[in-house]
Amino acid sequence: MSVATKTDKIQRLAELTATKETSTGASLWREAFRRLKRSKMAIIGAVIIGLFVVVAIVGPYISPFTPTAQTWRGEVFPNRGEFVGPRGENWFGLDHLGRDMFSRMLIGARQTLLVGVVATLIGLVIGFLIGGLSGAAATLGGDTGRRIDSVIMRFIDMMLAMPSLLLAVSIAAVMGQSLTTVMIAVGVVQIPVFARLLRGSMLAQGGADYVLAAKSLGVRKRRIVVSQIIPNSLSPVIVQATLSLATAIIEASALSYLGLGNPDPAIPEWGVMLAQAQRFFDNAPMMSVYPAVGIVITALGFTLLGEAMREALDPKLRG
């Protein structure tokens, strides 16, 4: 995807929430919530996310076995292609080291959620600061502010021009192999998206009547930005955060799959489990299917909810 295409999509999302209230007087989020309750896509996405979060929270407490214990090591022989599939004691079978796959999937959900949430928060916080500074400078900073905004946005465009996974891999390779590295690498990739999105939304709000009224009354520019423009510009950022969680989970799993994640393979994480299972796909394909399906379904849940939120906030679709 080219940088122009990325920029256009981000700008479009920012414009969707440029109007604070609808013609009926109902608040933007109140009407959006009503539409979400009627959206099958939003309901399915919310159910998937809810189940994933519940599993991530209670997984360690309901896990039938210790995920790192090689209790059945004597029953699997990877060199001979002999594995143990699903059975009464082990619902998902055993991995190549005789560990219970079901227990590892439960524990791995927490690690996957942790990586996705932390990475998204890194991108959101730093992107919010950069985008807020740029948007404030462009909106109320005069000629000097517009020059500052231009410099910041050119740097952001440079980041957007690089493929996100390639940028994440480059950062992870430089920082070294660890779970923290994966979080930082994926989080840095999210920064330009949040920065440009908030900045675009602030520019859309900058010409609103309430901003002009505040300026005419002599309200300080800093107060206008902090108390008026930024709060009314957060809707598209919240939507993007939901979508970015799906992207973060996929990219974090990809980095783990490439060997850039947690160096301790004994700690369950879906991306690491998928990487470990690839060698045995011919004889035990389900070892790869379980974590892959978990990653895909979780990412699908966040994507469905995020897209439903985007549609609910679109003024062109409000009836």
Side-chain angles (χ1 to χ4, degrees), residues 266-290:
I267 298 179
E269 194 273 322
W270 289 351
V272 175
M273 292 172 63
L274 186 59
Q276 293 174 345
Q278 65 175 336
R279 295 177 297 159
F280 314 107
F281 186 80
D282 291 340
N283 300 109
M286 296 308 294
M287 284 177 55
S288 300
V289 170
Y290 293 136

Side-chain angles (χ1 to χ4, degrees), residues 168-212:
V169 169
S170 301
I171 295 173
V174 170
M175 294 185 62
Q177 185 183 16
S178 72
L179 189 63
T180 303
T181 294
V182 172
M183 296 177 183
I184 294 175
V186 176
V188 169
V189 170
Q190 307 285 354
I191 290 174
V193 177
F194 286 112
R196 179 166 279 281
L197 184 57
L198 179 59
R199 181 254 189 187
S201 185
M202 291 179 68
L203 290 180
Q205 293 288 342
D209 292 341
Y210 69 87
V211 175
L212 298 178

Side-chain angles (χ1 to χ4, degrees), residues 1-318:
M1 183 182 293
S2 65
V3 62
T5 303
K6 288 183 179 179
T7 301
D8 290 344
K9 291 182 67 176
I10 294 171
Q11 190 66 30
R12 171 59 181 157
L13 180 56
E15 292 172 352
L16 294 184
T17 54
T19 304
K20 185 180 179 181
E21 295 187 350
T22 67
S23 58
T24 61
S27 69
L28 174 67
W29 279 102
R30 186 178 300 173
E31 182 181 350
F33 182 69
R34 285 201 300 264
R35 298 187 62 193
L36 284 175
K37 290 193 297 184
R38 298 193 299 265
S39 171
K40 293 182 180 179
M41 183 167 63
I43 294 173
I44 294 173
V47 169
I48 293 174
I49 294 172
L51 291 174
F52 173 60
V53 172
V54 169
V55 170
I57 294 175
V58 306
Y61 305 104
I62 64 174
S63 174
F65 304 102
T66 303
T68 57
Q70 302 179 19
T71 307
W72 299 273
R73 184 67 181 87
E75 298 184 32
V76 294
F77 302 94
N79 294 335
R80 301 204 300 257
E82 297 180 9
F83 296 88
V84 176
R87 59 185 183 182
E89 190 176 14
N90 310 106
W91 292 357
F92 287 1
L94 306 176
D95 70 356
H96 61 292
L97 295 177
R99 298 173 296 193
D100 182 60
M101 282 292 294
F102 181 70
S103 300
R104 292 180 63 78
M105 284 293 296
L106 291 177
I107 306 299
R110 172 174 290 191
Q111 292 293 319
T112 301
L113 178 63
L114 175 65
V115 172
V117 170
V118 173
T120 301
L121 285 177
I122 291 174
L124 175 61
V125 172
I126 300 178
F128 179 89
L129 295 175
I130 296 175
L133 173 62
S134 182
T139 304
L140 300 175
D143 292 338
T144 301
R146 283 189 286 272
R147 284 194 290 270
I148 294 174
D149 170 63
S150 180
V151 172
I152 294 176
M153 283 301 103
R154 296 298 76 76
F155 176 73
I156 293 298
D157 287 342
M158 289 172 57
M159 295 183 67
L160 283 172
M162 295 186 63
S164 57
L165 184 57
L166 177 60
L167 178 59
V169 169
S170 301
I171 295 173
V174 170
M175 294 185 62
Q177 185 183 16
S178 72
L179 189 63
T180 303
T181 294
V182 172
M183 296 177 183
I184 294 175
V186 176
V188 169
V189 170
Q190 307 285 354
I191 290 174
V193 177
F194 286 112
R196 179 166 279 281
L197 184 57
L198 179 59
R199 181 254 189 187
S201 185
M202 291 179 68
L203 290 180
Q205 293 288 342
D209 292 341
Y210 69 87
V211 175
L212 298 178
K215 291 170 63 177
S216 66
L217 292 174
V219 180
R220 296 181 62 181
K221 294 180 179 179
R222 181 181 301 176
R223 184 176 179 182
I224 295 175
V225 170
V226 174
S227 64
Q228 298 294 329
I229 296 180
I230 288 182
N232 290 325
S233 302
L234 292 180
S235 298
V237 178
I238 295 173
V239 175
Q240 183 60 42
T242 305
L243 294 170
S244 293
L245 272 167
T247 304
I249 289 173
I250 292 175
E251 291 181 346
S253 298
L255 292 180
S256 296
Y257 181 82
L258 294 174
L260 297 172
N262 195 330
D264 185 1
I267 298 179
E269 194 273 322
W270 289 351
V272 175
M273 292 172 63
L274 186 59
Q276 293 174 345
Q278 65 175 336
R279 295 177 297 159
F280 314 107
F281 186 80
D282 291 340
N283 300 109
M286 296 308 294
M287 284 177 55
S288 300
V289 170
Y290 293 136
V293 169
I295 293 169
V296 170
I297 292 180
T298 302
L300 177 64
F302 284 108
T303 301
L304 289 177
L305 182 59
E307 291 295 338
M309 292 174 64
R310 190 202 300 270
E311 292 181 4
L313 290 167
D314 193 338
K316 291 184 178 181
L317 299 177
R318 297 182 203 143

